[in-house]
Amino acid sequence: GAGVSQSPRYKVAKRGQDVALRCDPISGHVSLFWYQQALGQGPEFLTYFQNEAQLDKSGLPSDRFFAERPEGSVSTLKIQRTQQEDSAVYLCASSFGGAPYEQYFGPGTRLTVT
Amino acid sequence: RKEVEQDPGPFNVPEGATVAFNCTYSNSASQSFFWYRQDCRKEPKLLMSVYSSGNEDGRFTAQLNRASQYISLLIRDSKLSDSATYLCVVIPYGQNFVFGPGTRLSVLP
């Protein structure tokens, strides 16, 4: 079956531009997670949805970061006025249930801000 | 102290060797644990869950020590294809996944 997909796979943005990153979770998965992974580090939690409800956004680094999942399936992570420190791989994961369940990751979007 | 810590390595071992990684966590209320592997420039993939009683999957054995707050991963008879970064994941009660920084393993011919 299809896994988690993300698009675009690579994005280069000039500082100050807005970007939108898309995630298509595994069909039927209730929970969706966004992570940020810097080079040489483990993924860091950004935000979590259960269906369309954003239950935890404690990991979003600033109010420039915004995520939505309006119909409980596809999700978009938006970053406004990108900064160089936003350069990272943004990973999306989905799971059948909530936090204790295994998560399945998409290939990520590598964002480079110049 | 970070919530989840791992020895970053790299661990360079010959094919056929046995290698073990530890991962320590600070939140004693943590309830679930996993090991993920991540190949270079790829996404993390679930390797195995870690159960209180310990569990084994082929050449891989995971152990949990709640008293000392660490989990371990043992790989026996290492293969070249085991070369990757191994990420431990800890789930504190009521929270989401917390990843360690990862341990790099290189299995050499």
Side-chain angles (χ1 to χ4, degrees):
Chain A
V4 179
S5 62
Q6 292 187 245
S7 63
R9 292 292 311 279
Y10 303 91
K11 177 71 180 176
V12 178
K14 287 193 184 336
R15 198 164 69 107
Q17 279 185 331
D18 298 349
V19 298
L21 314 180
R22 177 188 166 106
C23 173
D24 277 271
I26 293 171
S27 177
H29 276 195
V30 167
S31 298
L32 185 147
F33 306 82
W34 284 99
Y35 293 86
Q36 180 189 62
Q37 187 172 25
L39 193 64
Q41 300 295 316
E44 298 250 353
F45 169 79
L46 293 177
T47 186
Y48 158 50
F49 290 86
Q50 192 165 83
N51 297 307
E52 68 279 3
Q54 190 173 20
L55 298 188
D56 187 346
K57 53 181 180 179
S58 61
L60 296 175
S62 78
D63 59 7
R64 296 186 296 103
F65 286 71
F66 171 76
E68 59 184 6
R69 194 186 185 198
E71 295 175 2
S73 179
V74 170
S75 177
T76 304
L77 176 68
K78 297 179 179 177
I79 309 173
Q80 296 176 323
R81 304 181 304 281
T82 51
Q83 304 295 316
Q84 280 195 313
E85 62 263 27
D86 300 336
S87 296
V89 176
Y90 290 85
L91 293 162
C92 174
S94 70
S95 75
F96 179 75
Y101 288 85
E102 299 93 342
Q103 295 181 15
Y104 298 89
F105 283 80
T109 295
R110 184 174 297 274
L111 173 65
T112 303
V113 181
T114 61
Chain B
R1 183 185 167 191
K2 289 189 176 180
E3 273 195 271
V4 180
E5 296 194 72
Q6 294 182 253
D7 183 338
F11 283 61
N12 298 316
V13 303
E15 267 187 294
T18 295
V19 62
F21 310 131
N22 277 348
C23 167
T24 58
Y25 60 95
S26 59
N27 189 328
S28 60
S30 297
Q31 56 176 169
S32 298
F33 309 87
F34 300 98
W35 283 101
Y36 277 72
R37 73 169 274 168
Q38 187 171 28
D39 293 289
C40 190
R41 300 179 84 86
K42 299 282 191 180
E43 71 272 24
K45 290 191 175 172
L46 179 66
L47 181 65
M48 58 198 304
S49 304
V50 185
Y51 303 125
S52 295
S53 54
N55 49 302
E56 189 174 305
D57 183 2
R59 298 181 294 109
F60 298 84
T61 300
Q63 298 276 356
L64 167 63
N65 185 319
R66 285 193 185 275
S68 301
Q69 294 181 207
Y70 74 85
I71 64 173
S72 64
L73 178 68
L74 182 79
I75 306 175
R76 288 181 297 279
D77 189 23
S78 300
K79 312 289 185 196
L80 295 176
S81 57
D82 294 334
S83 298
T85 295
Y86 290 83
L87 297 160
C88 75
V89 175
V90 173
I91 306 176
Y93 181 78
Q95 297 182 39
N96 287 294
F97 272 32
V98 180
F99 279 86
T103 296
R104 275 183 49 210
L105 172 66
S106 289
V107 181
L108 308 172

